[in-house]
């Protein structure tokens, strides 16, 4: 079944088509979510929330604005960031076990591992070092543009402009 045929059925709220959609995209979305939310159980909960949002909001998807995968990827990323910023999540993270800290130390700055999770490492390697740094903060670590501005000691407007330019460079490499 092609993605277009699948979308037609999902617009009609066909549950079998939605199951097929889950089978197609759950692994890749989970890997993106798990990069942001280190806890596997929490990441699984977020994945479930993402698919509920896709089901409820499928009518808001506009093919002329971008690819379907990009749309669901943004839902996954935004839902993950919302989870990270929630009070309940932050309170639950106050008493982390030592295992979490060892894990954080092992892979907190390994951008290449994070990029492999969604398969764009080769394309990102072609970007300027500043672009890699900005994309890492904004998309893989879940920083806001304001937080990235503070982290990199650059004006907010500069971060916004460089982010837009970096994304355009990445689009050119990906030929999107």
């Amino acid at each position: 079944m092609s993605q277009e045929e699948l979308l037609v059925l999902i617009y009609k709220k066909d549950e079998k088509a939605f199951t097929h959609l889950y089978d197609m995209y759950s692994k890749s979305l989970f890997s993106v979510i798990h990069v942001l939310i280190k806890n596997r159980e929490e990441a699984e909960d977020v994945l479930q929330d993402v698919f509920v949002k896709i089901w409820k909001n499928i009518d808001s998807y506009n093919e002329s604005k971008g690819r379907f995968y990009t749309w669901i990827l943004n839902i996954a990323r935004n839902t993950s960031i919302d989870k990270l910023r929630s009070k309940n999540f932050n309170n639950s993270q106050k008493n982390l076990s030592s295992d979490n800290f060892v894990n954080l130390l092992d892979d907190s700055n390994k951008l290449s591992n994070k990029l492999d999770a969604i398969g764009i490492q080769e394309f990102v390697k072609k970007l300027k070092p500043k672009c890699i740094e900005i994309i890492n903060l904004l998309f893989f670590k879940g920083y806001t543009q304001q937080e990235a501005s503070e982290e990199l000691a650059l004006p907010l407007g500069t971060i916004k402009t460089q982010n837009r330019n970096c994304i355009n460079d990445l689009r050119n490499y990906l030929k999107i």
Side-chain angles (χ1 to χ4, degrees):
M1 181 181 309
S2 73
Q3 182 176 299
E4 291 77 24
E5 294 168 331
L6 188 62
L7 284 175
V8 169
L9 293 173
I10 292 173
Y11 280 121
K12 295 177 182 177
K13 302 294 184 187
D14 182 296
E15 290 179 20
K16 288 182 182 178
F18 192 73
T19 301
H20 189 67
L21 177 79
Y22 182 87
D23 292 341
M24 285 176 63
Y25 294 112
S26 62
K27 288 180 183 176
S28 62
L29 292 179
F30 180 78
S31 66
V32 170
I33 293 166
H34 198 247
V35 164
L36 290 168
I37 300 182
K38 305 292 185 219
N39 181 296
R40 183 171 186 81
E41 291 81 23
E42 293 284 346
E44 289 170 352
D45 288 344
V46 170
L47 180 66
Q48 182 177 352
D49 291 344
V50 167
F51 277 96
V52 168
K53 287 180 180 183
I54 292 168
W55 179 259
K56 288 182 177 179
N57 299 312
I58 191 66
D59 293 331
S60 68
Y61 169 64
N62 185 343
E63 193 174 308
S64 66
K65 290 185 178 180
R67 295 180 349 188
F68 180 71
Y69 182 73
T70 304
W71 183 72
I72 64 173
L73 190 61
N74 281 328
I75 291 173
R77 181 182 164 274
N78 292 340
T79 304
S80 299
I81 291 170
D82 290 347
K83 180 70 170 181
L84 287 171
R85 292 182 181 156
S86 73
K87 285 184 182 180
N88 288 339
F89 184 79
N90 287 328
N91 288 338
S92 72
Q93 298 302 302
K94 287 183 181 176
N95 295 319
L96 293 174
S97 71
S98 61
D99 291 341
N100 287 336
F101 290 106
V102 171
N103 203 16
L104 286 173
L105 292 173
D106 284 345
D107 66 10
S108 65
N109 290 318
K110 293 182 182 173
L111 178 61
S112 62
N113 290 343
K114 294 174 183 177
L115 296 174
D116 277 340
I118 59 172
I120 62 169
Q121 182 177 14
E122 292 304 314
F123 295 105
V124 173
K125 281 182 181 177
K126 295 178 183 178
L127 295 173
K128 297 175 222 157
K130 187 55 92 178
C131 285
I132 293 171
E133 193 173 21
I134 290 171
I135 287 174
N136 182 35
L137 291 176
L138 294 176
F139 294 96
F140 296 107
K141 290 187 177 178
Y143 281 43
T144 64
Q145 290 180 337
Q146 180 64 43
E147 291 167 340
S149 168
E150 293 165 5
E151 177 76 17
L152 299 174
L154 292 171
L156 179 60
T158 301
I159 292 293
K160 289 179 178 183
T161 300
Q162 287 185 354
N163 179 41
R164 186 174 47 252
N165 292 340
C166 294
I167 295 300
N168 285 335
D169 290 346
L170 190 55
R171 281 185 181 132
N172 289 333
Y173 293 138
L174 294 170
K175 296 184 185 353
I176 296 177

